[in-house]
Amino acid sequence: MKKKLIALAAAGALAAPVVASAQGTNVTIFGRVQAEYSLVDFASQPSQGSLQDNSRSSRWGLHITEDLGNGLRANARLEMGLNAGSGSATTPREQWVGLSSNQWGDIKFGRVQSPFKDFAGGMTIDPFAYTTLQANGAGGTMSAGANGMGSGANGFVNSALRYDSASIEGFSFSGLLMPGDANTLDPLQTGSVLASFQPGGLGSQGNTGGRNGEFDGQAAAKYHVDFAGMGLDIFGGYSRDNANNLQRTIGLKTEEIWRVGGAWTWENFKLSGQYENINNALGSATCTTAAALVANPLDAAGSGTGQCNSAMNWGGDGNIWFAGAQYKWGNTTLVAQGGMTKAHAGGVNGSAARKADSFTVGAIHNLSKRTSVFGGYQHVYVSNANNTADDNNLGSAANGVSYAAPSYATGSRATYTVGIRHNF
């Protein structure tokens, strides 16, 4: 009996600080676990299959809120990603603190997602986001820049301020500002000279601009209206990633992206589309690791299943478009979508033009509100991969640095996948 009382007392002593710190604060544990078996078949190469979560959909985290009164709330989010098939659990995701109000909207400070990812188009119109069938990156129909400013899976922006307005008569606005003009902001967080050339955030790091990147930013707006049993969404936005001092020495300039698109729904049907115009590519010349479906998008050719098909040539221009259709049949959603990336000839290496066309068909079946299974097929046709001589010299004009640009090797690719996902 005494041992039980001692054990209860010890447990109470340990729990007391946690309970005290939670008074007046609501803490929610959330997450997702996903695994899929994907068979990737490259032209002229052996097929490669694996069972994992290569797009890094799996994650867990804490969402924290406190009611401050008068309609004002304090919010915070701490989130980490993992790969259910490889045991990796070290990927940082959203990590921010902020304030919100039903009258004026939300403001966040810290590591956030960009409006191009979760507000205006991007992943909001891609039902296969965070799967091997995703439209961004390897899918080649949405920009997936490693600077976190695109639609790339696991793309986030460090040292940022983001504001989302309340919806007024169907109109809403979102803006992001990253004051990245500090010499200490290293996009790769490695301390290397090479990191200064990078357009930011290889894989999970997500610092746009890098050292002396000045003020990077993004703005987007959208409008929603319901009429005659139909729903219409129209959105547009502008993104700016300033070249840092070292990037300018090799001819790179400020990247600018314009995006426009929309979605139309009627009963069980949904049609959506998006167009992006890219100038002076920095982040848009890369992919996040999860969007390229590899551990390192700079070595996609040697890493098996990876491709950065949505990338532009370094410092070059181009455009990307996406179109998709969905039909909900009971608990099953049937999906058909595709698009094209056109990387124009030019850039700091004078690279040749490149094109990637793709289409995807598949289905998502909800077993419950939290659990779903999915599967499908994606084919990407790559014209002129130009991954070797054209793209291996960036940086040689500055401080003798040898730099290899993102690889677009292996050409056309066919992907078959089936997976399961549970949200909690």
Side-chain angles (χ1 to χ4, degrees):
M1 184 65 179
K2 290 183 178 179
K3 291 182 178 180
K4 290 183 179 180
L5 290 175
I6 292 172
L8 288 172
L14 291 172
V18 177
V19 174
S21 66
Q23 289 180 357
T25 298
N26 184 16
V27 180
T28 302
I29 300 175
F30 68 92
R32 172 186 295 170
V33 182
Q34 175 175 301
E36 57 180 310
Y37 178 77
S38 301
L39 181 65
V40 182
D41 191 2
F42 289 110
S44 71
Q45 290 193 15
S47 297
Q48 301 183 44
S50 62
L51 201 163
Q52 57 178 323
D53 182 14
N54 213 4
S55 62
R56 300 298 177 93
S57 176
S58 300
R59 79 287 299 264
W60 73 275
L62 303 175
H63 188 75
I64 306 153
T65 62
E66 181 188 11
D67 189 347
L68 302 176
N70 298 319
L72 186 65
R73 295 181 302 278
N75 308 295
R77 192 176 184 93
L78 300 172
E79 188 179 12
M80 291 293 292
L82 54 99
N83 185 332
S86 69
S88 171
T90 59
T91 306
R93 294 176 58 84
E94 289 186 85
Q95 299 174 0
W96 52 261
V97 63
L99 299 169
S100 64
S101 164
N102 292 332
Q103 285 72 40
W104 51 260
D106 304 280
I107 188 167
K108 303 171 184 176
F109 305 88
R111 178 179 170 87
V112 301
Q113 297 192 121
S114 76
F116 271 26
K117 182 179 179 182
D118 67 359
F119 178 82
M123 288 192 170
T124 69
I125 57 175
D126 178 15
F128 284 128
Y130 276 111
T131 75
T132 307
L133 303 176
Q134 62 192 346
N136 68 70
T141 57
M142 290 185 187
S143 175
N147 61 359
M149 303 283 269
S151 304
N154 258 32
F156 304 92
V157 184
N158 287 343
S159 182
L161 180 157
R162 173 168 167 173
Y163 171 71
D164 292 80
S165 74
S167 179
I168 302 175
E169 299 296 330
F171 287 96
S172 54
F173 167 83
S174 180
L176 179 144
L177 178 66
M178 188 243 182
D181 58 349
N183 289 329
T184 57
L185 283 179
D186 184 340
L188 297 188
Q189 298 183 356
T190 62
S192 67
V193 177
L194 173 62
S196 299
F197 286 106
Q198 286 289 354
L202 175 61
S204 63
Q205 305 307 329
N207 278 338
T208 63
R211 294 186 180 93
N212 306 113
E214 298 179 1
F215 284 77
D216 304 325
Q218 198 170 87
K222 63 183 178 182
Y223 173 69
H224 174 80
V225 62
D226 294 305
F227 64 96
M230 296 182 289
L232 178 65
D233 291 276
I234 301 173
F235 57 83
Y238 170 76
S239 180
R240 181 182 180 91
D241 186 356
N242 288 282
N244 63 48
N245 290 344
L246 208 52
Q247 289 170 339
R248 292 190 184 100
T249 65
I250 57 174
L252 290 168
K253 302 177 182 178
T254 295
E255 174 187 89
E256 294 183 293
I257 303 176
W258 292 93
R259 173 185 284 186
V260 65
W264 172 81
T265 58
W266 178 68
E267 294 186 348
N268 294 333
F269 290 96
K270 181 177 181 179
L271 298 176
S272 56
Q274 175 178 289
Y275 175 81
E276 297 173 279
N277 184 267
I278 300 165
N279 298 285
N280 306 315
L282 291 177
S284 293
T286 67
C287 288
T288 65
T289 57
L293 301 175
V294 288
N296 184 348
L298 295 184
D299 189 29
S303 300
T305 61
Q307 282 185 302
C308 188
N309 293 317
S310 64
M312 301 292 112
N313 291 318
W314 289 105
D317 303 334
N319 53 75
I320 307 175
W321 65 265
F322 164 88
Q326 302 175 42
Y327 177 72
K328 190 173 182 180
W329 182 29
N331 291 334
T332 302
T333 301
L334 304 176
V335 182
Q337 59 190 37
M340 177 189 297
T341 288
K342 284 188 175 180
H344 300 166
V348 294
N349 287 341
S351 300
R354 185 180 64 263
K355 184 176 72 169
D357 306 85
S358 78
F359 72 88
T360 303
V361 291
I364 303 169
H365 178 71
N366 294 318
L367 299 171
S368 69
K369 291 183 178 180
R370 295 180 177 273
T371 303
S372 60
V373 292
F374 58 89
Y377 170 78
Q378 182 179 86
H379 199 104
V380 183
Y381 303 89
V382 180
S383 301
N384 190 20
N386 70 330
N387 69 302
T388 53
D390 289 337
D391 292 321
N392 285 336
N393 301 314
L394 185 56
S396 60
N399 301 325
V401 176
S402 178
Y403 172 64
S407 176
Y408 317 104
T410 64
S412 299
R413 173 178 61 89
T415 301
Y416 307 82
T417 194
V418 60
I420 185 169
R421 171 187 294 172
H422 176 75
N423 296 314
F424 62 89

